[in-house]
Amino acid sequence: MSVRVSVKLNQSKINKLVEASKQAFKLTVEDVLKDIKDSQVVPKDTGNLESTGSIEFVSEAVASIVFDTPYAKRLYWHPEYNFKTDKNSNAQGRWMDMYMSGSKRDFVKERYFVHLKELSKGLVR
């Protein structure tokens, strides 16, 4: 017994999915930066560190969230510091860990899917 299979790709829908994916990625990274600020996890004294939070898009699927002050690296890598919590109630070091292996590890995946579903206009369910 033989079976014949014919596959026809709809290039316009594939292109729509590719573009939706790129845009969903960008929106997801923006969501992460916003969530970091909303979660009040960045140590805050004058607000300078938190206000420097920005996104650097390296490629279509790689981005960095950057806090750019001379002391950002020191505060990030030393969670043992006794951070003041009067201005940011959850101030801590290593504030990205929660997105990689902590309580918000599914946040990126969930936000990406929400954006992809919306942007693909019915192609993704």
Side-chain angles (χ1 to χ4, degrees), residues 16-77:
K16 185 184 281 189
L17 279 174
V18 169
E19 287 307 310
S21 176
K22 290 175 188 177
Q23 188 63 24
F25 172 72
K26 289 179 181 180
L27 292 171
T28 301
V29 178
E30 291 170 6
D31 286 350
V32 172
L33 178 57
K34 182 181 181 317
D35 192 65
I36 290 168
K37 292 179 180 183
D38 290 348
S39 298
Q40 299 184 342
V41 293
V42 176
K44 187 173 189 176
D45 184 22
T46 64
N48 190 41
L49 173 61
E50 188 177 58
S51 70
T52 66
S54 64
I55 300 167
E56 293 179 5
F57 290 99
V58 179
S59 70
E60 290 179 357
V62 177
S64 296
I65 294 177
V66 178
F67 290 87
D68 190 16
T69 64
Y71 49 87
K73 184 176 181 179
R74 179 172 24 108
L75 293 180
Y76 182 83
W77 289 108

Side-chain angles (χ1 to χ4, degrees), residues 16-17 20 115-124:
K16 185 184 281 189
L17 279 174
H115 292 304
L116 182 62
K117 186 175 177 180
E118 179 182 301
L119 294 164
S120 69
K121 297 180 173 48
L123 293 175
V124 175

Side-chain angles (χ1 to χ4, degrees), residues 64-113:
S64 296
I65 294 177
V66 178
F67 290 87
D68 190 16
T69 64
Y71 49 87
K73 184 176 181 179
R74 179 172 24 108
L75 293 180
Y76 182 83
W77 289 108
H78 289 282
E80 73 276 6
Y81 288 173
N82 187 20
F83 297 107
K84 294 192 300 183
T85 55
D86 57 327
K87 294 179 183 169
N88 271 356
S89 58
N90 300 309
Q92 59 188 278
R94 298 184 59 117
W95 51 85
M96 290 300 296
D97 284 359
M98 69 180 127
Y99 298 97
M100 295 183 282
S101 60
S103 63
K104 295 189 177 187
R105 68 182 165 272
D106 293 330
F107 181 86
V108 172
K109 182 173 37 177
E110 289 166 358
R111 294 307 304 155
Y112 177 79
F113 183 71

